[in-house]
PDB file of all heavy atoms in Angstrom:
ATOM      1  N   ILE A  10      -3.350 -11.160  -6.232  1.00 98.00           N
ATOM      2  CA  ILE A  10      -2.627 -12.137  -7.048  1.00 98.00           C
ATOM      3  C   ILE A  10      -1.245 -11.648  -7.496  1.00 98.00           C
ATOM      4  O   ILE A  10      -0.262 -12.380  -7.343  1.00 98.00           O
ATOM      5  CB  ILE A  10      -3.476 -12.609  -8.244  1.00 98.00           C
ATOM      6  CG1 ILE A  10      -4.815 -13.191  -7.770  1.00 98.00           C
ATOM      7  CG2 ILE A  10      -2.703 -13.626  -9.087  1.00 98.00           C
ATOM      8  CD1 ILE A  10      -4.730 -14.347  -6.795  1.00 98.00           C
ATOM      9  N   PRO A  11      -1.099 -10.440  -8.041  1.00 97.00           N
ATOM     10  CA  PRO A  11       0.254 -10.018  -8.453  1.00 97.00           C
ATOM     11  C   PRO A  11       1.258  -9.979  -7.292  1.00 97.00           C
ATOM     12  O   PRO A  11       2.432 -10.322  -7.486  1.00 97.00           O
ATOM     13  CB  PRO A  11       0.026  -8.623  -9.050  1.00 97.00           C
ATOM     14  CG  PRO A  11      -1.394  -8.655  -9.523  1.00 97.00           C
ATOM     15  CD  PRO A  11      -2.117  -9.470  -8.475  1.00 97.00           C
ATOM     16  N   SER A  12       0.814  -9.611  -6.112  1.00 96.00           N
ATOM     17  CA  SER A  12       1.727  -9.601  -4.962  1.00 96.00           C
ATOM     18  C   SER A  12       2.096 -11.018  -4.540  1.00 96.00           C
ATOM     19  O   SER A  12       3.249 -11.293  -4.190  1.00 96.00           O
ATOM     20  CB  SER A  12       1.099  -8.847  -3.792  1.00 96.00           C
ATOM     21  OG  SER A  12       0.979  -7.475  -4.123  1.00 96.00           O
ATOM     22  N   TYR A  13       1.116 -11.914  -4.560  1.00 98.00           N
ATOM     23  CA  TYR A  13       1.443 -13.316  -4.286  1.00 98.00           C
ATOM     24  C   TYR A  13       2.500 -13.801  -5.278  1.00 98.00           C
ATOM     25  O   TYR A  13       3.491 -14.432  -4.891  1.00 98.00           O
ATOM     26  CB  TYR A  13       0.212 -14.220  -4.426  1.00 98.00           C
ATOM     27  CG  TYR A  13      -0.865 -14.072  -3.389  1.00 98.00           C
ATOM     28  CD1 TYR A  13      -2.182 -14.369  -3.712  1.00 98.00           C
ATOM     29  CD2 TYR A  13      -0.599 -13.681  -2.081  1.00 98.00           C
ATOM     30  CE1 TYR A  13      -3.198 -14.271  -2.780  1.00 98.00           C
ATOM     31  CE2 TYR A  13      -1.605 -13.576  -1.137  1.00 98.00           C
ATOM     32  CZ  TYR A  13      -2.911 -13.876  -1.491  1.00 98.00           C
ATOM     33  OH  TYR A  13      -3.914 -13.785  -0.571  1.00 98.00           O
ATOM     34  N   GLN A  14       2.291 -13.515  -6.552  1.00 97.00           N
ATOM     35  CA  GLN A  14       3.223 -13.965  -7.585  1.00 97.00           C
ATOM     36  C   GLN A  14       4.618 -13.372  -7.377  1.00 97.00           C
ATOM     37  O   GLN A  14       5.623 -14.081  -7.516  1.00 97.00           O
ATOM     38  CB  GLN A  14       2.691 -13.608  -8.972  1.00 97.00           C
ATOM     39  CG  GLN A  14       1.449 -14.397  -9.345  1.00 97.00           C
ATOM     40  CD  GLN A  14       0.768 -13.860 -10.586  1.00 97.00           C
ATOM     41  OE1 GLN A  14       0.631 -12.651 -10.763  1.00 97.00           O
ATOM     42  NE2 GLN A  14       0.329 -14.754 -11.447  1.00 97.00           N
ATOM     43  N   GLN A  15       4.685 -12.110  -7.051  1.00 97.00           N
ATOM     44  CA  GLN A  15       5.969 -11.445  -6.851  1.00 97.00           C
ATOM     45  C   GLN A  15       6.757 -12.092  -5.715  1.00 97.00           C
ATOM     46  O   GLN A  15       7.941 -12.418  -5.866  1.00 97.00           O
ATOM     47  CB  GLN A  15       5.743  -9.957  -6.555  1.00 97.00           C
ATOM     48  CG  GLN A  15       6.996  -9.173  -6.275  1.00 97.00           C
ATOM     49  CD  GLN A  15       6.700  -7.699  -5.986  1.00 97.00           C
ATOM     50  OE1 GLN A  15       5.652  -7.174  -6.358  1.00 97.00           O
ATOM     51  NE2 GLN A  15       7.609  -7.048  -5.307  1.00 97.00           N
ATOM     52  N   ILE A  16       6.104 -12.292  -4.587  1.00 97.00           N
ATOM     53  CA  ILE A  16       6.806 -12.833  -3.420  1.00 97.00           C
ATOM     54  C   ILE A  16       7.082 -14.326  -3.592  1.00 97.00           C
ATOM     55  O   ILE A  16       8.148 -14.815  -3.183  1.00 97.00           O
ATOM     56  CB  ILE A  16       6.033 -12.527  -2.124  1.00 97.00           C
ATOM     57  CG1 ILE A  16       5.925 -11.013  -1.906  1.00 97.00           C
ATOM     58  CG2 ILE A  16       6.678 -13.216  -0.913  1.00 97.00           C
ATOM     59  CD1 ILE A  16       7.262 -10.267  -1.840  1.00 97.00           C
ATOM     60  N   LEU A  17       6.189 -15.056  -4.228  1.00 98.00           N
ATOM     61  CA  LEU A  17       6.458 -16.475  -4.471  1.00 98.00           C
ATOM     62  C   LEU A  17       7.635 -16.677  -5.413  1.00 98.00           C
ATOM     63  O   LEU A  17       8.399 -17.633  -5.264  1.00 98.00           O
ATOM     64  CB  LEU A  17       5.207 -17.171  -5.007  1.00 98.00           C
ATOM     65  CG  LEU A  17       4.111 -17.396  -3.965  1.00 98.00           C
ATOM     66  CD1 LEU A  17       2.809 -17.796  -4.645  1.00 98.00           C
ATOM     67  CD2 LEU A  17       4.537 -18.435  -2.937  1.00 98.00           C
ATOM     68  N   GLU A  18       7.807 -15.783  -6.370  1.00 97.00           N
ATOM     69  CA  GLU A  18       8.995 -15.843  -7.227  1.00 97.00           C
ATOM     70  C   GLU A  18      10.240 -15.660  -6.360  1.00 97.00           C
ATOM     71  O   GLU A  18      11.243 -16.359  -6.525  1.00 97.00           O
ATOM     72  CB  GLU A  18       8.935 -14.770  -8.311  1.00 97.00           C
ATOM     73  CG  GLU A  18      10.108 -14.813  -9.254  1.00 97.00           C
ATOM     74  CD  GLU A  18      10.045 -13.758 -10.350  1.00 97.00           C
ATOM     75  OE1 GLU A  18       8.971 -13.189 -10.598  1.00 97.00           O
ATOM     76  OE2 GLU A  18      11.097 -13.505 -10.954  1.00 97.00           O
ATOM     77  N   SER A  19      10.171 -14.740  -5.411  1.00 97.00           N
ATOM     78  CA  SER A  19      11.293 -14.533  -4.492  1.00 97.00           C
ATOM     79  C   SER A  19      11.527 -15.760  -3.616  1.00 97.00           C
ATOM     80  O   SER A  19      12.675 -16.163  -3.405  1.00 97.00           O
ATOM     81  CB  SER A  19      11.040 -13.311  -3.609  1.00 97.00           C
ATOM     82  OG  SER A  19      11.029 -12.143  -4.377  1.00 97.00           O
ATOM     83  N   PHE A 165      14.172 -10.664  -0.956  1.00 93.00           N
ATOM     84  CA  PHE A 165      12.806 -10.832  -0.458  1.00 93.00           C
ATOM     85  C   PHE A 165      11.794 -10.093  -1.330  1.00 93.00           C
ATOM     86  O   PHE A 165      10.774 -10.658  -1.713  1.00 93.00           O
ATOM     87  CB  PHE A 165      12.672 -10.338   0.993  1.00 93.00           C
ATOM     88  CG  PHE A 165      11.263 -10.444   1.498  1.00 93.00           C
ATOM     89  CD1 PHE A 165      10.794 -11.656   1.982  1.00 93.00           C
ATOM     90  CD2 PHE A 165      10.409  -9.363   1.472  1.00 93.00           C
ATOM     91  CE1 PHE A 165       9.481 -11.782   2.425  1.00 93.00           C
ATOM     92  CE2 PHE A 165       9.101  -9.472   1.908  1.00 93.00           C
ATOM     93  CZ  PHE A 165       8.640 -10.680   2.393  1.00 93.00           C
ATOM     94  N   THR A 166      12.066  -8.848  -1.630  1.00 92.00           N
ATOM     95  CA  THR A 166      11.055  -8.041  -2.334  1.00 92.00           C
ATOM     96  C   THR A 166      10.884  -8.448  -3.787  1.00 92.00           C
ATOM     97  O   THR A 166       9.806  -8.273  -4.352  1.00 92.00           O
ATOM     98  CB  THR A 166      11.377  -6.537  -2.263  1.00 92.00           C
ATOM     99  OG1 THR A 166      12.645  -6.299  -2.862  1.00 92.00           O
ATOM    100  CG2 THR A 166      11.358  -6.029  -0.828  1.00 92.00           C
ATOM    101  N   GLY A 167      11.923  -8.975  -4.404  1.00 89.00           N
ATOM    102  CA  GLY A 167      11.794  -9.402  -5.788  1.00 89.00           C
ATOM    103  C   GLY A 167      11.646  -8.242  -6.749  1.00 89.00           C
ATOM    104  O   GLY A 167      12.032  -7.111  -6.461  1.00 89.00           O
ATOM    105  N   ARG A 168      11.055  -8.558  -7.886  1.00 88.00           N
ATOM    106  CA  ARG A 168      10.900  -7.553  -8.941  1.00 88.00           C
ATOM    107  C   ARG A 168       9.631  -6.727  -8.740  1.00 88.00           C
ATOM    108  O   ARG A 168       8.541  -7.266  -8.791  1.00 88.00           O
ATOM    109  CB  ARG A 168      10.808  -8.231 -10.309  1.00 88.00           C
ATOM    110  CG  ARG A 168      12.073  -8.904 -10.709  1.00 88.00           C
ATOM    111  CD  ARG A 168      11.925  -9.498 -12.097  1.00 88.00           C
ATOM    112  NE  ARG A 168      12.788 -10.674 -12.125  1.00 88.00           N
ATOM    113  CZ  ARG A 168      12.584 -11.723 -12.862  1.00 88.00           C
ATOM    114  NH1 ARG A 168      11.565 -11.787 -13.663  1.00 88.00           N
ATOM    115  NH2 ARG A 168      13.419 -12.733 -12.821  1.00 88.00           N
ATOM    116  N   PRO A 169       9.780  -5.424  -8.563  1.00 86.00           N
ATOM    117  CA  PRO A 169       8.576  -4.585  -8.458  1.00 86.00           C
ATOM    118  C   PRO A 169       7.879  -4.503  -9.817  1.00 86.00           C
ATOM    119  O   PRO A 169       8.488  -4.681 -10.864  1.00 86.00           O
ATOM    120  CB  PRO A 169       9.109  -3.226  -8.024  1.00 86.00           C
ATOM    121  CG  PRO A 169      10.556  -3.234  -8.354  1.00 86.00           C
ATOM    122  CD  PRO A 169      11.003  -4.662  -8.419  1.00 86.00           C
ATOM    123  N   ARG A 170       6.600  -4.249  -9.771  1.00 85.00           N
ATOM    124  CA  ARG A 170       5.802  -4.120 -10.992  1.00 85.00           C
ATOM    125  C   ARG A 170       5.809  -2.654 -11.432  1.00 85.00           C
ATOM    126  O   ARG A 170       4.934  -1.880 -11.057  1.00 85.00           O
ATOM    127  CB  ARG A 170       4.387  -4.626 -10.744  1.00 85.00           C
ATOM    128  CG  ARG A 170       4.372  -6.104 -10.378  1.00 85.00           C
ATOM    129  CD  ARG A 170       3.000  -6.636 -10.081  1.00 85.00           C
ATOM    130  NE  ARG A 170       2.246  -5.935  -9.062  1.00 85.00           N
ATOM    131  CZ  ARG A 170       2.337  -6.135  -7.756  1.00 85.00           C
ATOM    132  NH1 ARG A 170       3.198  -7.014  -7.283  1.00 85.00           N
ATOM    133  NH2 ARG A 170       1.591  -5.465  -6.921  1.00 85.00           N
TER     134      ARG A 170
END
Side-chain angles (χ1 to χ4, degrees):
I10 304 303
S12 293
Y13 291 152
Q14 292 169 318
Q15 178 180 339
I16 298 302
L17 287 167
E18 182 179 343
S19 294
F165 177 82
T166 60
R168 293 183 210 151
R170 298 178 305 276

